[in-house]
Amino acid sequence: MMEDMDKEEINFVLTKKLFDKMNNMIEEKKLSVENAILLLKHMGYFNVLKGTFNFDFYRSILNKRFEKMLVDENKKNEEKNEKLLADFCECYLLLNEGISSKTLSISVPCLLKVGLKKEESEEAQKEVEMALLALSNINLSWNYQRVTKELYFSEITEIIEYHQEHRNLTRLAYQSAWKFLINRLDNDKGLEEIIINELHFVEEAARELKELTRNADWMKTEEKDGGKDAKEVHFLIKWFNVIYKYLYSCNSWNKGNVGLICCVVNLFRTVKDDYREISVLCSDFFGDAMRSKSVKVDDLLKGEAIDLFLEKIIQSTLNDKMTYVHLLRFMNVSRQLKGKENDEKEESKRKTTKRKELEKMEEEGHEDIITSFHEIIDFLNRKYHRQLSTNISDYFVYV
């Protein structure tokens, strides 16, 4: 049932009342702990997969019970049940938006141990996927500093590197491993070099987006399944969330930026208006890239992002928010290009780039099209927060 639910429906089901009732059933021996775990793991799986967010489990009595059982099980020595401990950790992390330091210190090593499994059976892959998905849910700001590097670093890098060589993880497991690692970046800038140059995050993210875009048949799912989103949609959304976190937290330039931008441009053109949520994520990506210290304006030009903005401006209508968004994107790129490079060779290259862009705009009539929007800029600013310049020259680069 939960597989067919959307975010709102899942939030409606996963309530404190439900969790407290399950706790009472366990207390009264009407529900075994093993069956409760099985049910809660499935609930948690769809809770995280579909990106829901609530504190009901955290506020429930069941959360306190599970936290105590998790700690008690971990204290055992010879009698410790590793499978039961992992199950407890998964339930706890998949449903919880407020995780204690004590349980993090137990859960992270326990689930990384599961994630390191190399068996290729479907059952083993599912176990690994569930463990890494649970780890990826440690994403709130007050949890970042509690996961010390000693708890995770060698294991998570081994998981990612092994997959890159053998492709042993499911798509969701691989994305989850990256999300867990990227979430650590805010409090450990030393990870940048490893993420960029050793684990090649940008290239890997581009490859994943390309794979998800290559077969566009999933876009027909919406019509076939009565509005139910394809799994690919959820994977795309989750990858964009990780990419956003990377752009926000990373300060170092990456040579793979152009390839990633090309992938997003291609995805934007592919989905068109069929998936509005994906279109908005693509558009937001360009805004994030422009604000990121890790992306240069030349990356956006080489990745054909500027051509895309011009295409969308032509297609836009007066009441379409995309008119405003793409004019804003174009204006910001133009302003960045007006800056001068300190190095003479780089400045000469920049002038050549500017000249080519101007010539292209003139040949294709884009200058006239943008100028035609001048009369409605005040209207767009009143409707969408007053950020567009009323000086039309701000939208063009002059060499």
Side-chain angles (χ1 to χ4, degrees):
M1 288 174 66
M2 289 189 71
E3 186 175 4
D4 294 328
M5 292 179 183
D6 58 25
K7 288 182 185 180
E8 290 73 21
E9 289 168 328
I10 289 176
N11 269 324
F12 186 77
V13 169
L14 301 183
T15 62
K16 181 177 180 295
K17 184 178 179 181
L18 171 70
F19 296 127
D20 286 344
K21 184 176 181 180
M22 288 181 70
N23 181 73
N24 292 336
M25 291 175 72
I26 294 171
E27 193 81 43
E28 296 165 4
K29 311 293 186 188
K30 294 178 180 177
L31 177 65
S32 69
V33 172
E34 291 76 15
N35 283 340
I37 287 174
L38 184 63
L39 180 58
L40 288 165
K41 279 175 65 170
H42 281 84
M43 287 180 173
Y45 177 84
F46 290 109
N47 175 59
V48 176
L49 183 64
K50 304 210 176 174
T52 54
F53 183 87
N54 72 62
F55 279 84
D56 284 75
F57 182 77
Y58 174 71
R59 290 191 288 257
S60 71
I61 304 168
L62 188 61
N63 175 39
K64 301 301 179 188
R65 174 186 284 271
F66 271 37
E67 185 174 319
K68 184 179 184 306
M69 293 175 81
L70 190 157
V71 172
D72 289 344
E73 187 63 37
N74 186 62
K75 285 179 181 176
K76 296 177 182 178
N77 294 318
E78 293 181 5
E79 303 122 18
K80 186 188 295 185
N81 185 329
E82 297 285 353
K83 178 69 171 66
L84 181 62
L85 181 61
D87 288 341
F88 272 128
C89 292
E90 286 166 1
C91 289
Y92 187 75
L93 296 184
L94 286 167
L95 290 166
N96 220 327
E97 300 294 352
I99 305 162
S100 71
S101 299
K102 185 186 289 186
T103 48
L104 276 177
S105 66
I106 298 169
S107 299
V108 172
C110 174
L111 296 184
L112 283 172
K113 187 176 179 180
V114 177
L116 282 165
K117 288 184 177 181
K118 306 294 194 299
E119 294 94 331
E120 295 183 2
S121 68
E122 188 176 340
E123 184 181 354
Q125 282 194 326
K126 195 65 182 177
E127 285 181 15
V128 169
E129 180 182 274
M130 193 73 81
L132 293 176
L133 185 65
L135 287 168
S136 76
N137 205 40
I138 308 172
N139 56 5
L140 295 180
S141 58
W142 57 82
N143 288 324
Y144 290 151
Q145 68 275 16
R146 295 172 178 168
V147 185
T148 60
K149 202 169 185 176
E150 293 74 22
L151 277 179
Y152 71 86
F153 180 71
S154 61
E155 291 84 357
I156 199 66
T157 51
E158 182 182 340
I159 288 167
I160 290 171
E161 287 175 333
Y162 189 84
H163 173 76
Q164 289 174 348
E165 185 177 352
H166 301 280
R167 298 296 168 193
N168 65 306
L169 299 176
T170 66
R171 178 170 278 144
L172 180 58
Y174 188 47
Q175 186 275 333
S176 298
W178 271 118
K179 184 181 179 186
F180 172 79
L181 182 59
I182 297 289
N183 276 342
R184 314 278 78 78
L185 191 53
D186 270 347
N187 283 281
D188 189 351
K189 292 300 180 185
L191 290 172
E192 275 194 19
E193 171 70 20
I194 293 141
I195 287 170
I196 292 171
N197 296 320
E198 294 183 27
L199 300 178
H200 311 290
F201 170 73
V202 173
E203 291 85 350
E204 286 294 295
R207 187 187 61 79
E208 289 289 326
L209 292 186
K210 195 179 292 183
E211 284 293 318
L212 288 164
T213 309
R214 183 173 288 133
N215 180 7
D217 288 345
W218 56 263
M219 281 195 266
K220 299 171 186 174
T221 304
E222 193 171 30
E223 295 176 15
K224 282 194 300 183
D225 294 353
K228 176 187 166 186
D229 282 338
K231 284 184 178 179
E232 286 84 350
V233 175
H234 297 300
F235 292 140
L236 280 168
I237 292 168
K238 290 176 78 63
W239 269 110
F240 270 109
N241 288 337
V242 179
I243 291 167
Y244 160 74
K245 184 64 184 175
Y246 166 81
L247 292 173
Y248 176 80
S249 303
C250 187
N251 297 322
S252 304
W253 178 75
N254 190 301
K255 63 182 180 181
N257 288 342
V258 174
L260 179 59
I261 290 165
C262 281
C263 285
V264 179
V265 167
N266 184 43
L267 176 60
F268 205 164
R269 286 173 173 151
T270 302
V271 298
K272 298 178 182 176
D273 294 324
D274 297 322
Y275 277 90
R276 184 73 176 179
E277 188 173 7
I278 301 297
S279 295
V280 170
L281 283 171
C282 291
S283 179
D284 289 346
F285 162 84
F286 297 117
D288 298 335
M290 286 178 186
R291 289 187 292 270
S292 175
K293 294 177 182 177
S294 65
V295 179
K296 297 178 181 178
V297 67
D298 289 348
D299 298 334
L300 294 162
L301 290 164
K302 291 174 184 175
E304 299 185 4
I306 311 308
D307 297 326
L308 180 70
F309 299 158
L310 291 169
E311 287 173 22
K312 294 297 178 182
I313 287 169
I314 292 169
Q315 296 166 7
S316 296
T317 61
L318 181 61
N319 292 319
D320 188 352
K321 188 175 181 180
M322 286 299 177
T323 306
Y324 171 81
V325 169
H326 293 298
L327 278 169
L328 180 63
R329 301 270 188 268
F330 191 80
M331 179 184 72
N332 289 339
V333 169
S334 179
R335 284 177 171 173
Q336 287 185 50
L337 279 173
K338 286 175 182 176
K340 290 189 175 181
E341 297 283 352
N342 294 326
D343 185 272
E344 286 186 17
K345 288 184 179 179
E346 290 301 316
E347 179 58 22
S348 176
K349 289 179 186 176
R350 175 61 60 85
K351 282 186 177 180
T352 302
T353 300
K354 293 177 184 178
R355 193 174 293 110
K356 285 180 180 177
E357 289 302 311
L358 273 175
E359 288 171 358
K360 184 194 295 183
M361 289 182 69
E362 287 172 357
E363 286 173 13
E364 298 177 7
H366 292 308
E367 253 193 281
D368 294 335
I369 291 162
I370 292 174
T371 303
S372 72
F373 281 105
H374 184 257
E375 298 303 319
I376 66 162
I377 285 176
D378 278 335
F379 165 78
L380 292 172
N381 280 336
R382 284 194 301 273
K383 193 172 181 182
Y384 302 115
H385 314 301
R386 294 183 176 276
Q387 290 184 21
L388 287 171
S389 172
T390 54
N391 182 0
I392 205 69
S393 66
D394 283 340
Y395 299 86
F396 305 106
V397 177
Y398 298 106
V399 183

